[in-house]
Amino acid sequence: MKRIGLLTSGGDSPGMNAAIRAVVRAATFNGLEVFGIERGYKGLIEGDIHPLGPRDVSGIINRGGTILHTARCKEFMEPEGRALAAANLAKHGIEGLVVIGGDGSYQGAAKLHAEFGIRCIGLPGTIDNDIGGTDYTIGFDTAINTAMDAIDRIRDTANSHDRIFFIEVMGRRSGYVAMISGIAGGAEDILLPEVETSVEMLIERLRTGQKRGKKSSIIIVAEGCEYGGAMVLAKRVSDQSEYKDNRVTVIGHLQRGGSPTAMDRVLASRMGVHAVEALIAGEAGKMVGVSGQQLQLRPLSDAWEQRTRFDMELLRVAHVLSV
Ligand code: ADP
Ligand code: F6P
């Protein structure tokens, strides 16, 4: 193998640039050429492919986003689109491909491998931390710290005004960001897509807290919670209870940007080196994950077949601590 390709796909996450740098530098170290592919599978189909050298990735380890840009690409879902992509890889003499993204991007990579024999290795890049085959994804640590910082700031003003705040964090299908940032921010309750919650129970919890002397409360709501987000939930609580004067903050895409934490930079760096070494060793159709302190290679399919679910015990801890 002489030449590999590299792309970022799906939702961006802080640390993708650190992963790009690691792949390019590890490849160079091992005598491989790297070609960067712009805007994920879209750029692959359109042939937007260019050489990427070790100096091209200087000064990016600390930057959020992805210098290769990212996209979602419907054409790649079709066999014709993937055939165009495979032809463009062949045209550039690219024999291996590193895909940085979530489980959707991995499904695309698995098809490219199965249908055209392209040797793909996946790196888990998503703030959601919902991919099977790894304890942590690149970007999660930064996102939870961003969310926690926002919660801390809201707490200040909530305390000053004796108010109830609903804070919506990201996670359409996964409550991991909500759960961890909620515990770290000392939230009074946390609502998640994975757990059924009744508005009545939430109101009861607020009343109990008030009886115990709480004057303000913070409820963390994952965007994918069954009520359809913090706005709807806050209105339901206001309609059904004495808690009329509540406030809502939607943190949104703030969680997707920003300089990655040391944890994300190091995770991305280790995983990038591992991906290149895996390709050199002849591996394909695998993803790099971390289990405990150890990096591991797992089949790409683990990502969507064994989607990570947090330990429900965490929710109990959150409730115990919000007494
Ligand atoms: P993520 O990788 O963050 O989960 P998406 O689910 O949006 O993000 O997937 C990113 C891209 O991967 C899609 O726009 C599409 O091009 C490709 N992709 C996703 N699922 C499939 C699939 N089942 N088959 C082929 N390609 C897919
Ligand atoms: O998968 C990452 C994520 O940020 C989710 O938490 C969120 O639901 C989704 O992407 C939003 O995606 P976008 O706004 O990019 O379409």
Side-chain angles (χ1 to χ4, degrees):
M1 181 175 284
K2 289 203 169 56
R3 192 173 278 182
I4 64 170
L6 170 63
L7 60 81
T8 48
S9 167
D12 64 350
S13 70
M16 278 186 165
N17 276 329
I20 291 171
R21 171 181 176 271
V23 170
V24 171
R25 297 250 167 115
T28 308
F29 182 86
N30 285 287
L32 296 180
E33 284 180 321
V34 184
F35 274 63
I37 298 152
E38 294 285 330
R39 301 181 311 283
Y41 296 127
K42 197 165 176 356
L44 188 53
I45 289 176
E46 291 165 359
D48 200 349
I49 301 170
H50 53 82
L52 209 50
R55 298 287 76 75
D56 296 324
V57 294
S58 297
I60 66 167
I61 193 168
N62 55 330
R63 282 169 52 192
T66 156
I67 60 161
L68 287 175
H69 306 104
T70 185
R72 298 197 169 92
C73 175
K74 275 203 190 112
E75 298 93 298
F76 196 78
M77 309 286 273
E78 306 303 327
E80 298 76 22
R82 292 194 293 276
L84 276 173
N88 277 330
L89 287 172
K91 193 168 128 193
H92 286 85
I94 296 171
E95 295 158 279
L97 182 66
V98 178
V99 172
I100 308 172
D103 59 331
S105 303
Y106 283 10
Q107 291 190 41
K111 287 185 181 160
L112 212 49
H113 178 232
E115 294 165 4
F116 301 96
I118 311 286
R119 289 168 52 190
C120 298
I121 297 284
L123 293 187
T126 166
I127 65 163
D128 293 341
N129 205 33
D130 57 347
I131 293 185
T134 188
D135 292 350
Y136 292 104
T137 56
I138 298 164
F140 173 66
D141 189 61
T142 308
I144 53 173
N145 278 290
T146 302
M148 182 187 72
D149 181 57
I151 296 166
D152 288 350
R153 286 164 194 263
I154 298 287
R155 175 78 70 188
D156 290 344
T157 176
N159 280 343
S160 303
H161 287 264
D162 296 340
R163 269 179 178 147
I164 294 174
F165 264 85
F166 292 83
I167 303 179
E168 183 178 305
V169 301
M170 275 192 155
R172 209 172 285 156
R173 294 181 304 174
S174 165
Y176 222 127
V177 170
M179 178 69 91
I180 302 301
S181 63
I183 293 176
E188 270 59 40
D189 210 346
I190 306 170
L191 279 79
L192 312 153
E194 293 89 343
V195 183
E196 253 184 60
T197 327
S198 78
V199 176
E200 291 72 23
M201 236 164 73
L202 173 61
I203 293 170
E204 265 322 300
R205 247 192 220 116
L206 288 171
R207 286 182 182 140
T208 308
Q210 204 170 33
K211 277 186 211 137
R212 288 180 172 142
K214 280 186 193 264
K215 295 210 160 40
S216 65
S217 287
I218 289 192
I219 316 298
I220 302 299
V221 185
E223 64 172 319
C225 96
E226 59 184 304
Y227 294 101
M231 293 283 188
V232 183
L233 186 69
K235 179 150 184 357
R236 290 276 297 267
V237 170
S238 157
D239 290 347
Q240 287 177 229
S241 76
E242 63 279 28
Y243 301 114
K244 310 277 178 212
D245 191 27
N246 55 49
R247 293 288 187 277
V248 178
T249 300
V250 178
I251 311 179
H253 289 78
L254 277 176
Q255 292 154 100
R256 287 255 292 267
S259 182
T261 58
M263 293 292 280
D264 274 331
R265 294 182 200 190
V266 173
L267 184 67
S269 300
R270 291 177 70 201
M271 286 181 160
V273 172
H274 204 73
V276 170
E277 288 172 354
L279 278 173
I280 291 168
E283 295 285 358
K286 304 262 174 74
M287 62 171 280
V288 180
V290 64
S291 171
Q293 286 301 311
Q294 288 300 311
L295 293 185
Q296 60 182 10
L297 278 183
R298 304 290 310 163
L300 283 169
S301 55
D302 274 16
W304 61 90
E305 284 171 3
Q306 298 177 20
R307 289 172 63 79
T308 310
R309 302 208 163 259
F310 49 79
D311 184 354
M312 284 298 168
E313 168 67 4
L314 287 171
L315 191 55
R316 196 183 72 80
V317 167
H319 286 154
V320 167
L321 295 180
S322 68
V323 67

